[in-house]
Amino acid sequence: MTAPRKVAAVVTTFQGGESLRFHLERIVEQVEVVVIVDDSGDPSRKEVLSFTGMEKAILLRNEDNLGIAAALNRGIAQAGAMGCDWIITLDDDTLVSMTYLDDVFRFVQTGIQPSAGLIACSREGSEPSALFDPSGYQIKRTLITSGCVFEFRTFLEIGGFDEGLFIDLVDFDFCTRLRQSGRSLVLLNKSGMAHRVGSARTMRVMGLTIVVYHHAPFRLYYQMRNVFLFARKHLAFDPVLSLYLLLDAFRLPLKALFFESQKRARLFYLGTGLLDGLRGRSGRLTRRFVESS
């Protein structure tokens, strides 16, 4: 990796609210440009997403909901076209520290991990081992997309994010292809961002810790389908991760049955996702659950 030059923040949003501007103000002074990609496909949100006075902000609107992978690819391509050679990707609900990029590039300049393909600071509330590793960083198998810093040329060489996955496991797929290319994923022990993953609820059942995210029912389609698509692509390279993710074929239905509401809708999407996953079908969900009277 080379020394930092021109950095862009690429922020994807679907239904980001008033907090989005506050989150952007935290990163805008650390970068050359902020590219916001609104993937809602909702023209009525034009008035909601207003960045008046934020000179570095560029807003791109997708005419339809194309998925997180397509939104990321569009935003990063725009940043590259503007001459940016470093990218930080952020979700609309991620709040980074005032020194986030300084911390990342300070590590880059040490040259300790010249093969690093992605670098991120730890999230608030991370496991103690992630924050107190004596080396100052950990080499990871996967990282969530939000908060990751990488070179634009790395994005081009890997081939961008897989738009066929649409949403879930987009980050895991990108990380796995980076590792296949010989690059490493670095998580710094510096706590640098707050990031919320759904409306998660943690419970203990018979001594086991179970996390239920309460996503909208349709998300279960992508969560179920994409574990099979991921395994098709990466089983030979990383059988451990692939088989671990395939356990969701059992975990997801059990959570839907015992811990979540809207059970009929959830089971419909799980079943549809299972069939499409086995068939190898990618892309956007085309069948919707209709509640019978």
Side-chain angles (χ1 to χ4, degrees):
M1 290 180 136
T2 57
R5 289 176 288 174
K6 190 173 181 180
V7 188
V10 174
V11 183
T12 56
T13 182
F14 179 68
Q15 292 181 336
E18 295 179 358
S19 64
L20 174 56
R21 186 181 179 96
F22 173 70
H23 292 166
L24 292 178
E25 289 173 346
R26 184 64 67 85
I27 190 64
V28 70
E29 296 304 322
Q30 302 182 50
V31 297
E32 295 289 331
V33 63
V34 178
V35 181
I36 305 115
V37 185
D38 177 13
D39 192 44
S40 67
D42 182 359
S44 67
R45 287 178 51 76
K46 189 173 183 178
E47 299 302 321
V48 177
L49 293 177
S50 174
F51 305 102
T52 304
M54 194 173 289
E55 296 179 356
K56 293 183 179 180
I58 297 174
L59 178 60
L60 306 178
R61 299 183 187 277
N62 290 341
E63 294 182 0
D64 199 359
N65 174 215
L66 303 179
I68 185 69
L72 286 165
N73 286 341
R74 184 183 182 191
I76 295 169
Q78 176 67 41
M82 298 175 68
C84 296
D85 44 20
W86 286 82
I87 309 293
I88 175 172
T89 49
L90 295 168
D91 292 347
D92 57 15
D93 58 356
T94 299
L95 180 65
V96 298
S97 69
M98 298 293 289
T99 61
Y100 194 94
L101 288 178
D102 284 342
D103 294 332
V104 168
F105 287 124
R106 190 176 299 114
F107 175 82
V108 171
Q109 290 166 355
T110 66
I112 295 174
Q113 278 291 324
S115 65
L118 292 180
I119 305 171
C121 293
S122 297
R123 283 184 286 170
E124 291 181 3
S126 297
E127 292 295 322
S129 61
L131 297 178
F132 299 107
D133 189 285
S135 68
Y137 67 95
Q138 292 186 16
I139 301 299
K140 304 294 288 184
R141 186 179 244 119
T142 60
L143 291 170
I144 64 169
T145 304
S146 193
C148 279
V149 180
F150 52 92
E151 288 187 277
F152 178 65
R153 67 178 182 180
T154 297
F155 168 83
L156 294 177
E157 291 169 6
I158 295 302
F161 292 88
D162 185 349
E163 298 183 15
L165 295 175
F166 200 81
I167 180 166
D168 288 285
L169 296 185
V170 167
D171 46 3
F172 279 31
D173 171 74
F174 189 72
C175 288
T176 304
R177 286 186 284 125
L178 277 167
R179 290 191 292 116
Q180 282 181 293
S181 74
R183 295 172 171 89
S184 57
L185 315 179
V186 175
L187 180 66
L188 304 181
N189 65 6
K190 175 82 172 181
S191 180
M193 64 174 169
H195 177 76
R196 180 174 59 86
V197 183
S199 302
R201 180 163 59 100
T202 302
M203 60 191 75
R204 297 282 294 178
V205 179
M206 299 179 64
L208 299 175
T209 300
I210 298 176
V211 181
V212 182
Y213 292 100
H214 299 292
H215 290 301
F218 78 88
R219 279 287 298 278
L220 294 180
Y221 168 80
Y222 296 107
Q223 291 171 0
M224 175 65 82
R225 183 198 69 181
N226 287 357
V227 298
F228 291 95
L229 299 186
F230 183 93
R232 279 173 176 260
K233 292 177 68 175
H234 302 301
L235 181 62
F237 174 74
D238 194 338
V240 173
L241 179 59
S242 298
L243 293 174
Y244 174 77
L245 292 174
L246 281 171
L247 290 176
D248 274 351
F250 304 98
R251 288 187 292 239
L252 292 172
L254 290 174
K255 289 182 180 181
L257 282 170
F258 294 107
F259 303 111
E260 297 185 293
S261 59
Q262 299 176 277
K263 299 185 188 303
R264 291 180 63 187
R266 292 182 187 279
L267 292 175
F268 169 83
Y269 287 117
L270 284 169
T272 305
L274 174 62
L275 291 175
D276 283 352
L278 292 173
R279 293 167 179 159
R281 181 186 179 279
S282 61
R284 184 176 177 177
L285 169 67
T286 57
R287 296 177 58 196
R288 293 286 178 175
F289 174 75
V290 178
E291 187 73 63
S292 58
S293 57

